[in-house]
Amino acid sequence: MELLAAWWKIQPQSTSEALKIKPFEGKGTYLLTTVMQNGGREFLERRLAREKEGVRKAEMLEILGMKEEAVEEFKKVLKTMQDVTGEKTRTASAETVVIGGVKTTQLLISDEDPSLSIEGEILRLETWLSMDNARDYALNYFSQETPSKKRKKDPSNTIQRIHTDSLSVRDFHEKFATTQTPVIIEGLNDTVTNGKPWDHQWLIEIAGQKKVPVKKSVTNSMEWGGLECAGCEKISELSNDSYLFDVSIPLYLEELNKHLTIPKYFANDFLPTPDRVGLYRDAWPSLFVAPSAGLSSKLHVDTFGSNFWMMCLSGQKKWIFYSTMDLPFLYPTYPLQGAFEPVFEVDPIEGVSLSAHPAYAHATPYEVILNPGDVIFVPAGMTHAVTNLTPSVAISGNFIDSSNLSCALSALSKNALYDAGSAALHEELSVSTLVHDFDVQHVPLAHLKVSPS
C-alpha cells in the first residue's frame, strides 16, 4: 500500500512559517505531524464555563494555535498528491508519538479507502490534541498548591432519586434535562413493562428462538465500550460471556413491542416519530441481557449528542459516570478513522493507576447501583462505564428533544463529514421546530412504530 504525504508542523508563535513540508522517511512516504504547544488553556476554560458544544471550525483552529492558511496549504499538498496518483481521496490513521521529546500526533495518509473525509480527519486530530493539551494544562494548573487553585470536589457525588408521582414532565425537563443533571426515577416498573416480568426466563418464553447480535469484551479493544461483535446467538442459548448489548427491539424483537411503554419523560423524542424514515428511527428502545455477573462496557460516550435513559428490569447494574468537564482527565484518544467517539486509556471498573494517569485524580465519578425498577437519566456527553453485578436485563433509549438539540446538531455536523445518514438527520433537525409537550403521557411502543405513509 502506497503511503503519501507531508510533514505538517504547526508553530503557533510563528505565523510567517506556520507550515513546513518535507519528506519524512522512505521513498514516497511522508509523515503529517501536528505539534500543538498551546491551546489547552482556552479549551479547558470553555469547558469550565459550561459552554455548549459545537465550536465553529475557525474558532477551534484559533484555539489550537492553527491558522486557516495552514489548512489551505495542507489541502494544496493533498491535491498535488492526487494529481500525481490520479486518486481523489485518501485515508488516514493516527497515533500519538514522541518526536524530539515533544508529544505529537501523526497522520499517515494512504490510498486505501475512498470514503475518507480529509476535513473530518483534520477535525478528529484537532479534537484529540485539544484533549491532550487541556489535560496537560490542568495538571500544571492544579499542581500549584494555592487554595484558590485547588479543585473543589464533592466526595459523595450523589444522584437524586425521585418517585414518578413527585415528578412531572415539566419538572423533569427544567430541573434535570436542560441543566444536564442525572437523576434516578423510581416507580415506573409496571407502567413501562405493562405488568410483565421482563426477566431472562420471560424473554426466552416470548422470543427465545430469535437470533440476535451479541458482543464480547476484548482487552485493549479500540471499539466503542471495549465490546466487539461476536456473531449472533439465540436468546435461549446465550453463552455466559456473550453480552446482548443495545439490541434494537423494533428491528430484532418486534414481538416485544406490545409489552413495552415509553416513559412520558422521554416521549418527546424526535427520532421515532411515525413520519420519519431516516437514521435512528427504529434504533431504540433497545435490550440489554447479561447472562452472567461481571460483563461490562468500558468507558464510552453515547453517540451524536443524544440523551440516554435505562431501566433495570432484573438484577443489578453498577454505573460509573463523569461530568462533561472531566473528559480530558479520562485520557480520551480518537484513533478510529471516521469516528469522533473517543476510546479511553483509563478503566474505572478495573481500577486506575494514578502514577500512569495522574490527571484522573481531578475527575470526580458518580457511582450508582441500579436495582429492578430504577430508571436512570444520563445527559448528553457524559462519559460512563457499566458493569453487571448479577445477571441482568435492562431496556434503554437514546433520544433528542429540545434539551439537547444544539448538542445533537453539533455532533451530527461532524458525523456528516463521513455519513450521509447523519447529514440527512442534521438537515431534518435543523429545519424542525421541536416543541416540548409537557402534557404528554406514557406512550405504548407499538403506537410509535407505525409504518410511515
Side-chain angles (χ1 to χ4, degrees):
M1 180 178 64
E2 183 183 8
L3 293 178
L4 302 171
W7 179 17
W8 191 29
K9 182 174 182 179
I10 304 303
Q11 300 177 336
Q13 305 304 322
S14 173
T15 56
S16 61
E17 295 185 26
L19 182 72
K20 293 185 177 180
I21 304 172
K22 56 184 175 181
F24 184 61
E25 55 183 36
K27 182 178 180 181
T29 301
Y30 302 80
L31 180 66
L32 172 69
T33 303
T34 52
V35 181
M36 311 315 300
Q37 298 171 345
N38 295 323
R41 178 175 58 81
E42 293 89 343
F43 183 87
L44 185 61
E45 286 177 352
R46 284 174 177 259
R47 299 297 280 167
L48 292 176
R50 301 182 66 84
E51 289 194 8
K52 294 291 185 181
E53 293 286 342
V55 179
R56 296 195 310 268
K57 181 185 176 189
E59 293 174 337
M60 178 66 82
L61 290 169
E62 181 180 355
I63 289 171
L64 296 176
M66 302 170 70
K67 303 300 178 183
E68 283 286 2
E69 53 264 33
V71 175
E72 292 305 316
E73 287 298 322
F74 173 55
K75 290 179 179 177
K76 291 178 183 177
V77 174
L78 291 176
K79 187 177 186 306
T80 299
M81 298 174 190
Q82 293 161 8
D83 291 342
V84 170
T85 63
E87 297 288 344
K88 293 183 178 180
T89 54
R90 294 288 177 267
T91 64
S93 60
E95 61 178 319
T96 300
V97 296
V98 176
I99 298 177
V102 178
K103 179 187 282 189
T104 69
T105 295
Q106 65 181 22
L107 180 64
L108 295 176
I109 302 177
S110 69
D111 59 358
E112 185 179 81
D113 183 357
S115 66
L116 178 80
S117 162
I118 294 298
E119 183 180 0
E121 290 303 287
I122 292 173
L123 182 56
R124 178 168 66 88
L125 259 70
E126 291 170 355
T127 304
W128 187 348
L129 290 164
S130 69
M131 290 293 106
D132 286 348
N133 284 313
R135 183 170 59 250
D136 292 343
Y137 170 77
L139 280 173
N140 178 64
Y141 181 86
F142 291 124
S143 68
Q144 302 176 41
E145 296 296 330
T146 58
S148 63
K149 290 192 174 181
K150 287 185 177 180
R151 191 177 186 211
K152 294 180 174 62
K153 298 172 68 174
D154 177 3
S156 59
N157 240 22
T158 56
I159 299 173
Q160 183 178 353
R161 287 179 172 267
I162 187 168
H163 196 277
T164 184
D165 292 345
S166 303
L167 185 66
S168 68
V169 173
R170 182 181 295 275
D171 284 345
F172 168 77
H173 181 74
E174 294 178 352
K175 295 179 180 179
F176 300 103
T178 59
T179 62
Q180 295 187 301
T181 303
V183 66
I184 294 175
I185 306 171
E186 301 173 333
L188 285 169
N189 200 3
D190 288 342
T191 298
V192 172
T193 64
N194 297 343
K196 303 299 182 182
W198 275 84
D199 55 19
H200 195 180
Q201 184 57 43
W202 180 80
L203 289 173
I204 290 174
E205 293 172 5
I206 301 298
Q209 296 307 303
K210 278 291 187 74
K211 281 191 172 184
V212 291
V214 297
K215 295 188 176 183
K216 296 189 178 183
S217 180
V218 176
T219 302
N220 296 324
S221 172
M222 290 290 102
E223 295 296 328
W224 191 76
L227 296 168
E228 300 191 4
C229 295
C232 293
E233 296 181 14
K234 292 182 178 179
I235 290 180
S236 59
E237 299 176 358
L238 292 178
S239 55
N240 284 337
D241 61 345
S242 293
Y243 196 176
L244 197 162
F245 181 87
D246 201 17
V247 172
S248 168
I249 291 174
L251 292 178
Y252 289 93
L253 298 162
E254 61 182 12
E255 55 266 76
L256 300 179
N257 285 359
K258 63 183 179 181
H259 301 298
L260 188 58
T261 295
I262 304 301
K264 59 185 178 181
Y265 309 107
F266 320 120
N268 280 291
D269 184 10
F270 171 83
L271 295 174
T273 49
D275 57 341
R276 284 198 67 247
V277 296
L279 187 67
Y280 299 127
R281 179 185 182 272
D282 292 315
W284 296 283
S286 58
L287 181 65
F288 292 72
V289 178
S292 61
L295 295 179
S296 63
S297 57
K298 307 300 184 184
L299 280 179
H300 59 278
V301 180
D302 281 357
T303 189
F304 70 91
S306 58
N307 288 333
F308 178 84
W309 65 272
M310 172 177 277
M311 183 174 192
C312 183
L313 300 172
S314 68
Q316 288 186 317
K317 302 173 79 76
K318 181 179 179 180
W319 272 71
I320 306 172
F321 56 105
Y322 303 82
S323 161
T324 55
M325 293 187 293
D326 281 343
L327 183 59
F329 307 138
L330 305 177
Y331 292 81
T333 65
Y334 298 78
L336 300 180
Q337 181 176 299
F340 290 100
E341 287 75 34
V343 176
F344 295 89
E345 294 182 12
V346 300
D347 181 0
I349 294 175
E350 298 295 331
V352 179
S353 167
L354 293 181
S355 60
H357 301 99
Y360 183 77
H362 301 294
T364 304
Y366 294 83
E367 294 190 12
V368 66
I369 293 176
L370 288 191
N371 296 305
D374 289 344
V375 176
I376 189 170
F377 164 69
V378 181
M382 288 191 117
T383 307
H384 53 276
V386 184
T387 187
N388 292 279
L389 302 179
T390 68
S392 69
V393 175
I395 55 174
S396 77
N398 292 68
F399 67 98
I400 297 173
D401 63 17
S402 58
S403 71
N404 66 319
L405 175 59
S406 61
C407 186
L409 285 172
S410 173
L412 286 167
S413 68
K414 298 176 184 178
N415 294 343
L417 295 170
Y418 297 92
D419 176 55
S422 294
L425 180 54
H426 183 276
E427 183 176 359
E428 281 185 89
L429 287 169
S430 298
V431 299
S432 299
T433 301
L434 301 191
V435 179
H436 217 88
D437 180 5
F438 294 114
D439 295 320
V440 69
Q441 299 301 309
H442 307 298
V443 181
L445 177 60
H447 290 185
L448 288 175
K449 299 307 171 186
V450 178
S451 298
S453 57

